[in-house]
Amino acid sequence: MEEIRLTLEQRRERIAAAREAMADPDSWMWQVPSRGGLGELLGEADALGGASESLRVSVTAEAIERGEASDGAHARTPVDWVRHHAPST
């Protein structure tokens, strides 16, 4: 697989676009075809969720390495830092 070279700004734009695309599923779920379409969509959502989890781990590791997760107003511990910035955890 070829490596995709994106700038940080491009990556953040794509993350925002993915969040927008997944918003309010009740308003567009009717468009998903039966007999395979829902399973395919669930697989895509699962892959996106896995990528999101992997990114969360990488960002947290980087924050710990840089000292950001234990320094500042929201960082008594790395857990505090993560909970502040990723409240769904």
Side-chain angles (χ1 to χ4, degrees), residues 7-85:
T7 66
L8 176 59
E9 181 178 337
Q10 290 169 324
R11 290 176 190 279
R12 293 182 84 170
E13 287 171 359
R14 289 185 182 194
I15 291 168
R19 289 176 48 212
E20 182 180 340
M22 295 188 329
D24 193 21
D26 291 341
S27 70
W28 54 266
M29 191 64 60
W30 62 269
Q31 299 175 57
V32 181
S34 297
R35 299 195 177 149
L38 291 169
E40 289 176 9
L41 181 60
L42 183 59
E44 292 165 355
D46 185 63
L48 186 59
S52 178
E53 289 298 318
S54 177
L55 180 57
R56 249 194 278 213
V57 169
S58 294
V59 170
T60 301
E62 187 70 19
I64 291 169
E65 185 175 314
R66 291 184 187 188
E68 284 189 35
S70 59
D71 188 22
H74 303 291
R76 291 182 303 275
T77 69
V79 171
D80 292 333
W81 186 87
V82 169
R83 286 189 176 153
H84 174 77
H85 294 288

